[in-house]
Structures are given as structure tokens and as C-alpha cells.
Amino acid sequence: MLRDGFGRRISYLRLSVTDRCDLRCGYCMPEKMQFLPRREVLSLEELYHLSLGFIARGITKIRLTGGEPLVRRDMPDLLRALGRLLGAHGGQGRLDELTLTTNGTQLAGFAGQIADAGVKRINVSLDTRDPALFARLTRRDRLADVLTGIAAAKAAGLRVKINTVALKGLNEDEIPELIRWAHGEGHDLTLIEVMPLGEVDEDRVDHFLPLTAVRQRLEEIFTLQENGHSSGGPARYLTVAQTGGQLGLISPLTNNFCASCNRIRVTATGQLYPCLGGGERVDLRAALRSDAPDANLALALDEAMRIKPERHHFDISARGAAPAQPRHMSVTGG
Ligand code: SAM
Ligand code: SF4
């Protein structure tokens, strides 16, 4: 079993399958983002092998992410292969949930295959439904594709959660309307605070919006009730009485949730980062490509548990300050 030095049981793996993306969200990456050479990225077989190793050590939930996972060409094969592991026992574990986070641009073409693989729910990131603002935030004019993708996911029977980064002076005023729209469509919506990860072309301080302030404003419009729900991630959930839908809040800056952390992340090159906000790292690709992959993988996971820090130390208050980590969220896996 995976248990870290602070007694936290680790059961949730976020696995990045690529660092590439077809959007360029301003808070996530610079316009001229340097992507990794393809040969550095784990193969489908390696991702599968790795997943087996994690399940054997008690990982019960795997989220595929990136970068944009749906830009990877063999994604349907990977989904099918991992989908077959759902419910299967291996070592001390059993995979209970396979899911993914996507920007939705290519979802229309993949929704059926995602559902067929056994995925029940997905997260789709959407910060605005205004086409001009979408084009400004993502530097690509793809809102129509994303909305078609979300509709296709719903039609395929997938439960959709919308992830929205709250951005001061950008989508701030649209948040109530986004909630009404998402809940009207039967989707939950989770708001996220922007985190200082990797250099981008802007200063994130300019658009950082604390969710404490957002919640106050929302409470002038809606009745919000804490409902104690957990989806196994860092969000705290509220029910919006007027819509009947769920609103999640992920607030790493204003409400630290590290004490209940159950997650680890693996980059597309097989680097395990036990904390999104820390530099600690274990090289799983080296273990996988060694003479004794299973034994070395097990040792590497033990080491990851040993070095997982107690908490992150994000701070986004000072203009011009360096990010907490040089790695972009698209590299570590969001
Ligand atoms: N490309 C996919 C997507 O956008 O859903 C998956 C990867 S993306 C890195 C995962 C999530 O991280 C998205 O919801 C995105 O908005 C969020 N994200 C990216 N950079 C972030 C940052 N610096 N702070 C907070 N959230 C960020
Ligand atoms: Fe791409 Fe997701 Fe980053 Fe936007 S947030 S640039 S969609 S990886």
C-alpha cells in the first residue's frame, strides 16, 4: 500500500499522457511553449505497465490528463487498455475509476469511445462561454468545438464536471451565469484558484481571484449549502439551492487542503511528483527501462512516499515574483 510519511494513504494517480496541447491558456503556458521531443514521452505499453504497478500498490482511481490528453494519437487504445483493468484485482489493489480531464476541443470525436472504455465521468475545462473572451483566454478560437464536445459527452452518457479557473477582471462577472448554464445542463461546476506554476507571458497576480471573495459574491445571489460531498479530489462541495446543482471550490491559495491529500502525479516522461507544488521527484521511466522493472518500480514508489512533502507553499501575492515551481501545470498534469 502507498502511505506517505505523514500517514496519508495515496489512492489517486493523475497520469499525464502528453505535455502538448491545442490551446494556449494564458495562465497555463506561454504562447511559445516548448514541448518535449516525442521520444522522451512514455509509450502506450509503458503507461499500461506503470498503471498495473500502481494498481498493485493500492491506486484505485486514475485520471488521464496532460497537456491535452485527446491530442495523443493512441489515446483510444490507451483508454481501452486501461478500461479493461476496471474492477480487476492486482496485487493489493483494484481499479475502481478511470477518468480524464480535457479541454473539450476534440471531445465530439472521442466521447463514444471514452464511454465505451468504461469511463463514467469526465472533467471539461471551460472558463467562459463568450467566444471573444474564450479566444483571448486560450489564444485559440475553439469555443464552438468545446461546446459541441460537451454536448456529445452528455449524449454518450458521460457525467460532465465543468472546471473553471476564476480570473479577476476576465470571467469574474460571468461566474453566476456559468453556474446556471452548467447546472441547467445537468453538469456540476468547480471553480479553481489560479496557481503560480511555470513562467507565462502574463503576471498571474493581475488575474488572481480568491475564491473566498467569489463565494461572498455568489452568496448575494444564491443560497449555498455545504453538502459534505467528496469526489476523491481536493474540491469542497456546496449545493446551490436555486439550481439544485453542485458547486465545487478548489482553493489551494486561500484554504489549504494538503492534510487530506491522497494524490500523486506522473508526467508524460514518467517523472513522479508526489506534490504539485514541490520539486521532489522520482524517475519511474528509468525504473521501467531497467533490467528489473517491477522491483525497481516498487522501490521508486517507496521513495516517492518517503519524500512526499507535508504541504505546498503557494503564494501569489507579490507582483513579479517567480512561480512556486518552474514546471507548468501542463507538464506535471493538471
Ligand atoms: N488540457 C486539459 C484541460 O485543460 O482540461 C487538461 C490539463 S489542464 C493543465 C488541467 C486543468 O488545470 C485545467 O482545468 C486548467 O484550467 C488548469 N490549470 C492550468 N494551469 C493552471 C494554473 N496555473 N492554475 C490553476 N489551474 C490551472
Ligand atoms: Fe492546454 Fe489545458 Fe493548459 Fe489550457 S489548461 S493550455 S487546455 S493544458
Side-chain angles (χ1 to χ4, degrees), residues 272-275 277-282 307-309 327:
L272 188 162
Y273 284 95
C275 176
E280 300 79 0
R281 171 173 76 96
V282 172
I307 63 174
K308 184 170 165 70
R327 296 182 323 273

Side-chain angles (χ1 to χ4, degrees), residues 2-318:
L2 298 176
R3 192 177 288 282
D4 76 1
F6 302 93
R8 294 172 296 193
R9 164 111 156 73
I10 307 302
S11 57
Y12 180 4
L13 168 65
R14 295 196 176 198
L15 183 56
S16 172
V17 299
T18 177
D19 67 323
R20 289 169 193 254
C21 190
D22 52 355
L23 299 182
R24 294 286 184 283
C25 305
Y27 53 76
C28 178
M29 57 173 77
E31 171 65 69
K32 294 199 164 47
M33 182 73 178
Q34 288 295 312
F35 296 116
L36 294 160
R38 286 216 167 77
R39 63 176 182 282
E40 304 238 336
V41 170
L42 295 186
S43 67
L44 186 142
E45 292 73 22
E46 287 172 324
L47 289 168
Y48 183 75
H49 192 162
L50 209 54
S51 301
L52 285 177
F54 277 110
I55 295 166
R57 295 292 298 273
I59 289 290
T60 57
K61 173 172 174 177
I62 298 180
R63 176 178 298 282
L64 302 176
T65 180
E68 172 47 39
L70 297 181
V71 305
R72 190 171 161 138
R73 275 201 214 105
D74 55 9
M75 197 53 189
D77 302 320
L78 180 64
L79 277 165
R80 263 194 302 277
L82 294 181
R84 274 188 231 110
L85 298 176
L86 280 166
H89 291 262
Q92 303 177 45
R94 193 182 87 132
L95 184 64
D96 291 330
E97 182 169 21
L98 175 65
T99 182
L100 83 158
T101 299
T102 172
N103 64 26
T105 58
Q106 308 203 38
L107 195 49
F110 286 105
Q113 297 175 68
I114 294 170
D116 288 346
V119 173
K120 300 280 182 248
R121 47 181 197 152
I122 60 171
N123 289 354
V124 183
S125 303
L126 180 66
D127 299 333
T128 178
R129 285 170 64 239
D130 176 287
L133 184 57
F134 184 95
R136 176 173 167 203
L137 294 179
T138 67
R139 301 177 175 119
R140 301 291 184 270
D141 186 12
R142 303 286 304 273
L143 176 65
D145 295 332
V146 176
L147 294 177
T148 309
I150 293 172
K154 182 176 168 180
L158 293 165
R159 279 191 50 207
V160 174
K161 180 160 74 71
I162 305 293
N163 276 349
T164 303
V165 177
L167 298 162
K168 186 167 74 187
L170 293 171
N171 65 359
E172 181 172 6
D173 294 337
E174 194 188 335
I175 290 174
E177 187 46 39
L178 274 171
I179 294 171
R180 283 195 197 94
W181 166 77
H183 289 179
E185 291 290 317
H187 312 315
D188 291 344
L189 183 141
T190 291
L191 295 169
I192 305 173
E193 282 174 349
V194 73
M195 290 171 252
L197 294 167
E199 290 286 356
V200 288
D201 300 328
E202 57 189 52
D203 196 325
R204 291 191 183 89
V205 176
D206 294 339
H207 298 298
F208 171 63
L209 183 57
L211 291 188
T212 40
V214 175
R215 183 172 174 169
Q216 260 175 19
R217 274 188 67 183
L218 288 176
E219 280 177 330
E220 291 165 14
I221 307 172
F222 299 122
T223 312
L224 306 179
Q225 293 145 347
E226 304 249 0
N227 64 22
H229 172 78
S230 167
S231 61
R236 287 173 48 222
Y237 285 96
L238 308 163
T239 301
V240 180
Q242 285 76 1
T243 62
Q246 279 206 116
L247 173 66
L249 302 177
I250 299 184
S251 41
L253 280 294
T254 57
N255 187 1
N256 185 283
F257 42 66
C258 298
S260 60
C261 185
N262 60 352
R263 295 171 289 289
I264 46 176
R265 296 166 198 258
V266 175
T267 71
T269 62
Q271 307 306 306
L272 188 162
Y273 284 95
C275 176
L276 176 65
E280 300 79 0
R281 171 173 76 96
V282 172
D283 186 354
L284 302 185
R285 187 178 61 181
L288 273 176
R289 295 181 181 175
S290 70
D291 292 343
D294 291 324
N296 286 330
L297 198 55
L299 286 174
L301 295 186
D302 290 341
E303 169 72 357
M305 290 304 98
R306 202 183 57 73
I307 63 174
K308 184 170 165 70
E310 186 172 16
R311 53 166 298 170
H312 69 72
H313 294 279
F314 289 148
D315 178 11
I316 203 161
S317 53

